[in-house]
Amino acid sequence: MKAYLDNGNTTPVAEEVVEAMLPYLTEKYGHPLFIYSLGREANETVESASESIANTVGAKGSELTFTSGATEANDLAVRGIAKANKSKGKHIITSRVENPSVLRITEELERRGFKVDYLDVDSEGFIDLKQLGDLITNETILVSIIHASDEIGTIEPLKEVGEILEDQDHKVFFHTDAAASCARIPIDMDEMNLDLISISAHKIHGPKGIGALIAREGVKIEPINYGYLSLSNLRPGTENMPGIVGFQKAAELAFEDFDSKIDHMKKLRDKLMDGIEEKITETILHGPRGDDRSPANVNYSFKRVEGESILMQLDMRGISVATGSACATRKLEPSHVLTAIGVKPAVAHGAIRFTLSRMNTEKEIDYTLEVLPEVVEKLRELSPIK
Amino acid sequence: MKAYLDNGNTTPVAEEVVEAMLPYLTEKYGHPLFIYSLGREANETVESASESIANTVGAKGSELTFTSGATEANDLAVRGIAKANKSKGKHIITSRVENPSVLRITEELERRGFKVDYLDVDSEGFIDLKQLGDLITNETILVSIIHASDEIGTIEPLKEVGEILEDQDHKVFFHTDAAASCARIPIDMDEMNLDLISISAHKIHGPKGIGALIAREGVKIEPINYGYLSLSNLRPGTENMPGIVGFQKAAELAFEDFDSKIDHMKKLRDKLMDGIEEKITETILHGPRGDDRSPANVNYSFKRVEGESILMQLDMRGISVATGSACATRKLEPSHVLTAIGVKPAVAHGAIRFTLSRMNTEKEIDYTLEVLPEVVEKLRELSPIK
């Protein structure tokens, strides 16, 4: 038995996605810039994929730019807005619970003379809306808040952020990193007053190497990379055709009968959470409960055990999970998100993150609930800390 | 019958490449940063692919950084060197026959206060080595010269450039865009004294969306994109695993029995050139003849005919070629390379570029030589210019 519960880092590619990609790895190899038939076909394919992916968040195909992933999309959003609007102000607001991808970008902007404020979060990871309102000045050009924490599942109040920004006397652009929440939590750019959104294919059972930035019509943004601009005015380079087609198919699959897919993930999430709390003592849940939590995220610390040891033991039994920081497993730093919500380093190191997807099954959760308590118990027996 | 002779823009993916990629689109979906088994496997895959691709130009795996393509690799090379070394000088030398990808980058650096000199070329497209020597100053930090023109096939004297740079009192980094020449002309970074080289998978029967920059050990370079750095210290974002594996396989196939593949392309090239000159009157060859010409490139203007008309007529008969500027077919500007070698706009607009690959056959050339003369003749009959 296997259970892949690390869908926050990457997901298996859906079979239908591979099938959709294959023609673009074989007979349909045209370059979309070219005017002969193979090229025209490729061009139409890019347009139709843009339309279909953008529609899932209520945007238009012409507002979508393909990138090599959400990391590049975040970079293009944050630095692209900063570059294009610095004459209006050099102040950016983000939060302490962003993915490192966004934080590395804002740190670079600080080195370039921008002022960046990082919103505090409460013990469940929610940003402080009052603080946001207080921090906005005439110089503020961008607010970038993650849609839902990829680590602790907290769904941030983007609608309320959007309202605060709409109430300002001047335009403050609003970006969200939705790589972790896309295809897990509904997004409506209009309703949330969002100007920019970053998404990624490999987090929704699409291929690695392709993502997108959606920027609403009229948003003033500049490219951050240079080279020959192909179909896009914002991002140079030959389009990743198989990736684009795979992304389109992945989005179509994920959003087909979306509500029932969300319900399915919620059911699995609650089953896993109930099971852990019932079968294992001394656990600490990170992030909120209920509707404010991503249907896909479960994150617990197991006291007196190292997360890494649990991860390795689960791996030996076919279960894949993440520990500590979302991405930092080779770096051994405690998660900045757990630190932001006030979790002590010792407890943070014991955190295990499970990320579900529409493709997980109840059987996998049953199996995990069979194996995990044994693993934790054994490791506690061996632990020097009693 | 079909003949795809536009391998300069993009190539069909080889069957073996698709086969190699498939496991990474199905069961091998691990994220290389992660320490559990799926992740460790992915990590080893990236290392082995890096090694195997870097070896084809005499470099080490640790010197290779995967990018989304040659465009990004060029951007990383040129801007990455500029950023890391601007305290030593802000002078860059390149040529008038670079791919637009490099020219858009140097134009951006000019806007940022760098001085960029563009080497002139002679009527066959060769750069002026004397001019290069004269232009180098204490402020020069980088020389970037395309290996072989993707438009007119001129193989630039990189070895001689390398010698000139080695003779300088201070270090001048040497970069080449080898996207067009990789797997067509042998490259040895040591022999050419090259510090950096950009390559792309989709030009050598690999997939779109993956390329690489190889920067020799000790080369001072800074990232140009920000985000969470995965395995690479230079380029952020989750590795495009299927792309990386496809790139590796494409390189392995291309460099297996490399000499005979080069001979094959040369034979096809010469057959095509001889046939065109024998069967069609009033043609003008662009670029040199013989060993100084890429085995893959053929470029002729057919007087009194529009290149675009030839292209469309050939397309209707299953033959794909490029016209005018390498990439500009949707833009209708005359090729900057043809302009640089002194070709008049009217003649440049009639230029047709054929780019061969190891996968083309004699039959395809025979078919092209059957169709092309008829097409040119018919179009000339219709032409108002006599």
Side-chain angles (χ1 to χ4, degrees), chain B residues 184-381:
Chain B
R184 281 151 187 153
I185 307 162
I187 299 170
D188 184 320
M189 290 186 79
D190 280 334
E191 202 190 293
M192 294 168 169
N193 195 30
L194 275 165
D195 297 298
L196 306 116
I197 183 169
S198 305
I199 48 178
S200 168
H202 81 99
K203 308 257 182 175
I204 62 165
H205 300 290
K208 293 178 179 64
I210 187 85
L213 175 67
I214 299 171
R216 303 314 297 264
E217 225 169 79
V219 168
K220 210 179 148 198
I221 183 164
E222 274 187 28
I224 55 163
N225 284 93
Y226 302 89
Y228 198 71
L229 297 165
S230 186
L231 296 182
S232 157
N233 286 321
L234 255 188
R235 202 269 185 180
T238 299
E239 278 77 8
N240 175 353
M241 295 302 301
I244 287 172
V245 171
F247 196 178
Q248 173 178 19
K249 178 52 87 178
E252 280 169 13
L253 292 169
F255 286 93
E256 197 183 52
D257 199 5
F258 189 29
D259 288 344
S260 77
K261 290 194 172 83
I262 295 176
D263 288 342
H264 173 70
M265 286 184 274
K266 271 189 188 159
K267 200 175 140 195
L268 298 189
R269 175 196 68 184
D270 293 343
K271 187 185 174 93
L272 182 58
M273 287 172 66
D274 291 347
I276 287 173
E277 296 184 6
E278 196 187 299
K279 297 187 168 190
I280 308 177
T281 58
E282 297 177 82
T283 59
I284 299 167
L285 173 69
H286 302 302
R289 286 178 197 273
D291 284 346
D292 287 337
R293 183 177 198 106
S294 163
N297 178 285
V298 173
N299 191 329
Y300 282 92
S301 278
F302 302 90
K303 285 191 190 167
R304 296 186 289 117
V305 205
E306 279 289 314
E308 201 176 320
S309 310
I310 300 179
L311 181 146
M312 298 310 280
Q313 290 293 322
L314 291 179
D315 184 37
M316 283 166 61
R317 289 159 179 85
I319 301 172
S320 305
V321 298
T323 176
S325 169
C327 296
T329 24
R330 277 180 196 279
K331 321 232 165 171
L332 294 178
E333 295 153 5
S335 150
H336 71 284
V337 172
L338 295 180
T339 306
I341 61 170
V343 176
K344 288 183 188 141
V347 176
H349 275 300
I352 290 289
R353 178 186 72 163
F354 308 83
T355 312
L356 310 172
S357 92
R358 63 175 179 88
M359 284 170 78
N360 283 119
T361 63
E362 267 201 78
K363 273 197 175 165
E364 291 172 333
I365 303 301
D366 288 333
Y367 176 62
T368 305
L369 287 172
E370 197 187 302
V371 171
L372 181 64
E374 290 172 20
V375 164
V376 173
E377 199 180 335
K378 279 232 174 93
L379 288 169
R380 278 182 179 159
E381 279 170 22

Side-chain angles (χ1 to χ4, degrees), chain A residues 127-168:
Chain A
I127 55 162
D128 186 338
L129 289 169
K130 163 108 185 23
Q131 191 190 16
L132 171 65
D134 292 346
L135 283 170
I136 296 171
T137 70
N138 287 338
E139 298 279 303
T140 312
I141 53 171
L142 174 70
V143 170
S144 180
I145 307 288
I146 195 165
H147 182 203
S149 168
D150 49 340
E151 293 199 42
I152 57 171
T154 317
I155 303 176
E156 299 297 347
L158 294 198
K159 197 161 173 285
E160 288 75 8
V161 173
E163 282 160 9
I164 291 172
L165 299 185
E166 209 159 23
D167 283 348
Q168 302 302 312

Side-chain angles (χ1 to χ4, degrees), chain A residues 6 36 43 208 315 327 330, chain B residues 6 33 36-37 43 330:
Chain A
D6 193 19
Y36 50 70
N43 191 333
K208 293 179 179 64
D315 183 37
C327 296
R330 278 183 196 277
Chain B
D6 193 20
L33 198 65
Y36 51 70
S37 44
N43 192 333
R330 277 180 196 279

